[in-house]
Amino acid sequence: MRIVILALLVLSSCASPRSSPIFALTFSDKPPRAAIRGVCNGQTFTTQGTVVCEQKEPTTAQISVKVPPLEGRVIYSNGQLKKTDDFNWYPAQGFWIFKNRPMKDTWADLDLGTIAATFGDWPVSLDIAADDPDVGVIVTRGVLYYRVCDDATVPCSKLETNYDCAGHVNATGPAMIGKCERLAGSPQDLTVFMKGQLYTVQPGAKLYVSIPRQNYESAVDITSADLASGQRDIELPAVLTGPTIVGLRMSWYQSGKIVSVETRILIIGYSPDWTGLDKPHYMLHNQTVDWVKPTFADVMEVDTFNGRDTAGRQYGKDKMRTEPKAGTTGPVCAFAWQRDSSDLSIQCLNYQNQEVSFP
Amino acid sequence: MSGSTIVSALGSAGSIFASLLTAVAGASPYGLGAVGGIVLLTIVGGWIGWNKIVSYLNSSTDSRDQQNAGADAGNTSVDMANQAGAVRQGLDGLQAANPPTDPNAPKVKS
């Protein structure tokens, strides 16, 4: 009897979730990892972490974010407004609701109004906070930088550059501003081209670089050697943690008037201490796919892009199995989240079980 | 009520609960030995008290995480909006202070 009483008492206290303490996190030093879907210049895109877009006309914002299979909320701000929208499980019907409506797919539409109702810059920051009963609040971040230009007060981007970004070479060009998520603490290399699709730099030109966040300003003389080689390499100061907007302008005289071409690059630095997740693993068995949660991930979801159903609530499982439904040819993606890193990792397979980029 | 007060109260509640259990067990005809009962029930009561403390700490951590997420969203967007305006002013100022050279401008004799 004594043993039974003791066992009951101990088990009852052990049954409470999270029996070891956790510590609060700050998110500003973590990279943006949210999956974001939007429209830029009429083209739908899907990306992860950061979105940059330049367009010539204000439009209604069409931006969605992937939410985990947990209850939580999306907090978003464009620098002037701040909103909170919840996503909840509705057990009576067995589906997810967002803004009082059932979610038809795995994405939550944000209500952000009009992108830059006049002209200018339109930055948006969002945090998706989901409540996991086992590990606590899982937050994934997202950053958007839209720019509506008019070639008068707000020049449209034309300057062409290449820049290193975490092992890849990214570019800016006509109607294309740059973005990069990378480790903070080391310099940023950049190559500016003397001839682009819409310009040819003339002798006597100067390159201007402005990074207000770092109190960095530079006016670089473009030499005849630069013009001969067709490019000028510059090194920007060590990247800080968080978002930094770099402004670049090349100006020269042409027919007695100053001509300028510009661009912007949004660099988001994150702490070298940060360590993310591996992608979800998979094993193929003909048309069946067994998905395995990455090491240290807290939540995994497999989504067939045919609508969220009760399978989406199988959080905390280490393994899931998907089989193609008859008549469907869409991709299947596995998503994994982790609280400590605020990371979201994604692995997608097409109908032939080939790895594909995010749909 | 401050967080430390609540934690302290929860810890005390755990100890009181342990004492009550000790008293009950000591009076039980099934008879835990006095010392054994005190040790056993103090452990159990302490364990329950610790879980209450952990539960409180975790819920306050969840609350702080949510607040931090909201603060991050607002602060980041405001910071970026300010940077965007400052970049434009910075480029204009740089060009005004260091204009490009006009190679066709008439040369002034020194």
Side-chain angles (χ1 to χ4, degrees), chain A residues 14 23 32 41 62 73 89 96 119 130 140 165 174 179 196 202 208 217 224 246 265 306 309 337 346:
Chain A
C14 286
F23 300 98
N41 284 317
Q62 296 177 54
R73 61 188 190 176
W89 180 248
W96 290 85
F119 289 97
T140 41
C165 178
K179 69 166 184 174
Q202 301 298 316
Y208 305 102
E217 288 189 337
S224 53
V246 177
I265 301 173
N306 288 325
D309 52 23
W337 288 264
I346 305 167

Side-chain angles (χ1 to χ4, degrees), chain B residues 28-39:
Chain B
S28 164
Y30 297 104
L32 288 170
V35 175
I38 289 170
V39 170

